[in-house]
């Protein structure tokens, strides 16, 4: 009987933990920051307005794995869908929206710095 009660308690704790840290869906064009599985649905020949860091996650404190040079053509994955991430000011605008893409390396780039 004690094992059953313990199992119930653990399940309840897990549900409470999920509720505290879970993602809340919101209306709009941005999705949670989970990268697409692949870039088969991509917008190509997209240019960077300024040179930007390509990052491992959608926040300015994430590790930069490359750069996307100003005017260089690259790709934005997932048909150009923007993802919510950390807030930033880049290319003269404030935002928390990021694209998953790049020119030589694929990662997270600030939406405000990408043109198509």
């Amino acid at each position: 009987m004690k094992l059953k009660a313990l199992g119930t308690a653990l399940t309840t704790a897990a549900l409470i933990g999920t509720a505290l840290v879970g993602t809340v869906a919101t209306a709009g064009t941005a999705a949670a920051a989970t990268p697409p599985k692949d870039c088969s649905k991509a917008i190509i020949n997209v240019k960077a307005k300024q040179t930007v860091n390509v990052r491992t996650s959608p926040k300015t404190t994430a590790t930069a794995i490359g750069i996307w040079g100003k005017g260089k053509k690259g790709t934005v994955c997932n048909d150009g869908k923007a993802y919510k991430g950390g807030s930033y000011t880049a290319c003269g605008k404030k935002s928390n929206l990021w694209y998953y893409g790049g020119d030589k390396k694929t990662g997270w780039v600030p939406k405000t710095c990408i043109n198509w």
Side-chain angles (χ1 to χ4, degrees):
M1 213 32 113
K2 287 184 181 182
L3 289 178
K4 185 176 179 181
L6 179 60
T8 303
L10 290 173
T11 301
T12 302
L15 289 173
I16 291 170
T18 301
L20 292 174
V21 299
T23 303
V24 177
T26 57
T29 59
T34 302
K37 299 288 184 205
D38 63 57
C39 288
S40 63
K41 293 182 179 181
I43 298 173
I44 58 172
N45 295 325
V46 179
K47 291 184 179 180
K49 294 178 192 177
Q50 291 182 2
T51 298
V52 294
N53 287 320
V54 178
R55 298 188 178 276
T56 57
S57 64
K59 55 187 176 181
T60 58
T61 57
T63 302
I65 56 173
I67 61 167
W68 187 343
K70 179 180 179 179
K72 299 289 182 183
K73 291 181 182 179
T75 301
V76 173
C77 300
N78 206 23
D79 285 335
K81 186 175 187 178
Y83 295 81
K84 286 186 180 179
S87 297
Y88 61 85
T89 300
C91 299
K93 294 182 181 179
K94 283 186 170 187
S95 183
N96 69 339
L97 299 178
W98 297 75
Y99 288 133
Y100 190 75
D103 63 341
K104 294 177 184 164
K105 296 273 187 173
T106 304
W108 295 97
V109 294
K111 179 183 177 190
T112 59
C113 294
I114 307 302
N115 254 348
W116 68 70

